[in-house]
Amino acid sequence: MWLLLTTLALAPAPVEIPAGTYTQGAQIQPDAPPRQVSLAAFRIDATEVSIADFEAWVASGAYSERAHWSSAGWDWAKQNPQGLGVVDRAAGRTPDHPVVGVSWFEAEAYCVAKGGRLPTEAEWERAACGGKAQDYPWGVGEKAAVWYDGGKFGHLSQVKTSPVSLAPDDQLSPEGLAHMAGNLWEWTADWYGPWEEGAVSDPAGPESGTWRVLRGGSYMNLPSYCRCQRREPRRPEQASFTAGFRCAY
Amino acid sequence: MGLPPGGVASEGAAGQGAPGAPPPIAPRALQARATAKWVSTGQRLTPRAVWVKPFRIDRTEVTRSAYKRFLDATGYRPPHVEEDWAQEGYNWSGNDFPDGTGEHPVILVSWYDATEYCAWAGKRLPTESEWQLAALGEQSAERSYPWGKDYDAMALNHGKMDEPNFDDSDGYLTTSPVGSFPQGASPYGLLDAFGNAWEFTSDARVDSWELVESTEKSQGETQGWTDVHAPGPSLYVAVRGGSYFFDAAAHPAGEQNQFLPELRRKTSGFRCAD
């Protein structure tokens, strides 16, 4: 059965995640080992940011609106005044699909413009699996999520995302988030690095680094890359056809 | 491993001075080669002469020992995948490669991983035209293989085109220590250009010259398309050279392949240029 979250696409209603404690990480290489994380309540988008929403922001003059950008982001925006451009961000898809080809700086600025921010790594993982010890948002076991199913030498001929609001209801997270496994990698706020040992509250990651953390896997990845605990380092200026984002508040 | 006289300048780690680094490769004309038919997507560029400016390229594929230094220095993600085939002999344990394989090419790396290693080492991935020039020499050399015109099953660590693809008739079932096939050296001394591990280039795999950037497109005896590069992001990146899981005997140009940049394959390696 397919659930069309069309109202969410028109007016993205962030999902409320209550305060609580959960076990972050997994005893599976090369992910970081488990630790207890306590988080304050936060809200997070139920869907990835669509092409339509992102381009509406771009059309509003986003790349010359200083207030949206961090200082590092502003330096980047001055060098890349339209990012990769609307053609690469759409990549041949309709506007209801998630935007791709965005750097971490653009994702951060978009969320700030919307009154939010990127989720921390700990928030993202909590939202993805509902704070439960399971591999995927729906529990255990691989379903036909939006991930690589081309077989050993299968080939993709296009960017194979699903529209942001189109997801089977049995593949949603416990709180109803779509595409927390597969579809696109999602930028998080944190630098990539080893975790602090022991129990922590509202961790924000290393203070500096070279790579930001991507989460969730994409249509290009095997299911094992799409587990809630999987982390992937990516240079913040590195846009790709497999990474998008959603915002937290 | 057997090395040619004078030794092999294995790629140097950052800050180590790269003793014995290979000399720059002089500018040469390079004929872009036709694409093998068995590759199922894209890459349908008609051959075109391009020019390559002087550059340097690692004589060998990046070794696991070198990649470990990168991991230890930076905390970057080690080579590890969860698929069943990777559990024996492929996966690293933390920052430690499988025992005794330090001089083998690093595999289980994505295009992003390769790009990050080269950046850390103060280098970059070679463009595809740079790679091809280094591996096959200039157009006038008319080589189908790094070592010459004819296939030589003992000049590269190859596999088979039929399952199970593995082949040990060359002495190695999977990867071999870099530089184990000195008789397969290219005109510039590049080792394992064909075979051992597929090698990422910095180019996207595109199907139109309109998508290829070049600093100079005028034609003539001494100039033409120069600094040819197909920038990403793209769905596919260009990989070259084949691997221990592949054999270029029947279709030499079949070593021009494309990989999804995300995937960490058991055959995907690289070398850096600068």
Side-chain angles (χ1 to χ4, degrees):
Chain A
M1 189 168 105
W2 292 77
L3 179 65
L4 279 163
L5 304 171
T6 46
T7 54
L8 286 177
L10 294 171
V15 171
E16 185 79 25
I17 307 291
T21 299
Y22 80 104
T23 301
Q24 183 189 18
Q27 210 54 270
I28 301 174
Q29 292 194 47
D31 298 332
R35 63 173 180 177
Q36 291 296 114
V37 171
S38 297
L39 294 177
F42 65 99
R43 292 180 300 139
I44 186 168
D45 289 341
T47 68
E48 292 162 342
V49 172
S50 67
I51 296 167
D53 287 347
F54 191 85
E55 296 303 340
W57 175 66
V58 171
S60 75
Y63 290 85
S64 54
E65 181 54 72
R66 177 68 184 87
H68 296 172
W69 302 80
S70 64
S71 58
W74 185 242
D75 289 343
W76 182 90
K78 284 186 290 188
Q79 299 293 319
N80 303 271
Q82 291 295 319
L84 277 182
V86 61
V87 173
D88 275 346
R89 287 192 294 264
R93 300 161 303 149
T94 50
D96 53 340
H97 281 257
V99 68
V100 298
V102 289
S103 67
W104 184 89
F105 300 115
E106 290 159 290
E108 179 193 42
Y110 176 93
C111 290
V112 168
K114 298 297 177 184
R117 55 186 174 77
L118 287 172
T120 66
E121 205 185 342
E123 288 173 338
W124 193 97
E125 185 174 327
R126 162 63 185 82
C129 266
K132 301 176 180 178
Q134 57 193 35
D135 287 342
Y136 300 108
W138 52 84
V140 295
E142 296 173 4
K143 301 189 178 194
V146 188
W147 54 36
Y148 186 70
D149 62 358
K152 190 171 71 167
F153 291 123
H155 285 284
L156 300 170
S157 57
Q158 56 190 330
V159 175
K160 287 183 94 85
T161 55
S162 167
V164 298
S165 298
L166 180 62
D169 58 2
D170 64 355
Q171 289 183 15
L172 301 178
S173 78
E175 281 104 355
L177 277 63
H179 301 135
M180 293 300 272
N183 214 29
L184 290 178
W185 289 103
E186 298 180 15
W187 289 112
T188 68
D190 297 18
W191 290 108
Y192 182 90
W195 287 348
E196 303 168 55
E197 302 272 332
V200 292
S201 294
D202 296 314
E207 291 189 357
S208 63
T210 304
W211 307 285
R212 298 284 181 178
V213 176
L214 289 175
R215 289 293 201 126
S218 79
Y219 64 89
M220 195 184 280
N221 297 110
L222 297 164
S224 62
Y225 285 77
C226 303
R227 283 190 297 100
C228 295
Q229 297 83 15
R230 174 67 80 183
R231 324 168 70 210
E232 192 74 18
R234 189 68 50 85
R235 197 167 283 262
E237 62 270 28
Q238 177 74 65
S240 73
F241 280 153
T242 53
F245 67 102
R246 74 182 72 210
C247 306
Y249 309 87
Chain B
M1 56 185 166
L3 297 178
V8 175
S10 184
E11 53 74 38
Q16 295 201 345
I25 294 176
R28 305 284 184 185
L30 166 67
Q31 179 70 45
R33 293 153 59 83
T35 295
K37 287 182 178 176
W38 63 267
V39 176
S40 64
T41 315
Q43 51 174 317
R44 287 291 184 272
L45 295 179
T46 48
R48 176 193 295 277
V50 301
W51 288 77
V52 178
K53 287 184 175 175
F55 68 105
R56 292 154 50 98
I57 188 168
D58 295 341
R59 195 158 294 187
T60 68
E61 293 160 342
V62 171
T63 65
R64 299 177 196 185
S65 294
Y67 200 78
K68 174 177 172 54
R69 289 196 290 275
F70 162 59
L71 301 181
D72 288 343
T74 64
Y76 193 77
R77 181 196 188 285
H80 193 287
V81 299
E82 291 183 29
E83 283 62 54
D84 289 342
W85 55 259
Q87 305 310 317
E88 288 187 21
Y90 291 98
N91 271 340
W92 291 39
S93 178
N95 285 0
D96 297 324
F97 47 78
D99 284 348
T101 65
E103 293 307 303
H104 289 238
V106 63
I107 50 175
L108 291 190
V109 288
S110 70
W111 180 86
Y112 295 103
D113 298 338
T115 299
E116 294 300 337
Y117 172 89
C118 290
W120 173 79
K123 302 180 185 180
R124 57 180 175 77
L125 285 174
T127 65
E128 186 172 12
S129 54
E130 287 173 337
W131 190 97
Q132 181 168 314
L133 174 62
L136 294 168
E138 58 187 302
Q139 182 185 350
S140 60
E142 296 183 339
R143 293 194 175 193
S144 297
Y145 304 93
W147 55 86
K149 293 184 180 179
D150 300 317
Y151 185 73
D152 176 354
M154 294 307 289
L156 78 169
N157 179 6
H158 62 83
K160 295 186 293 191
M161 295 308 290
D162 302 317
E163 291 188 354
N165 299 89
F166 296 105
D167 173 273
D168 65 357
S169 65
D170 49 35
Y172 300 94
L173 196 62
T174 63
T175 53
S176 46
V178 299
S180 293
F181 293 85
Q183 66 271 43
S186 84
Y188 298 107
L190 217 64
L191 296 165
D192 302 311
F194 274 31
N196 215 12
W198 283 102
E199 299 181 20
F200 287 114
T201 74
S202 61
D203 282 1
R205 180 62 81 198
V206 296
D207 58 7
S208 165
W209 281 99
E210 292 180 5
L211 298 172
V212 177
E213 293 183 357
S214 175
T215 55
E216 173 59 65
K217 295 185 180 180
S218 64
Q219 301 298 310
E221 285 296 312
T222 59
Q223 60 181 349
W225 285 53
T226 305
D227 291 333
V228 172
H229 187 43
S234 176
L235 219 44
Y236 290 98
V237 291
V239 296
R240 298 297 299 262
S243 75
Y244 66 82
F245 208 63
F246 176 87
D247 189 10
H251 303 286
E255 53 83 22
Q256 303 182 42
N257 206 352
Q258 56 184 10
F259 283 175
L260 294 168
E262 305 263 336
L263 298 193
R264 298 184 169 97
R265 294 177 175 272
K266 64 172 171 281
T267 56
S268 57
F270 64 102
R271 74 183 75 212
C272 306
D274 62 2

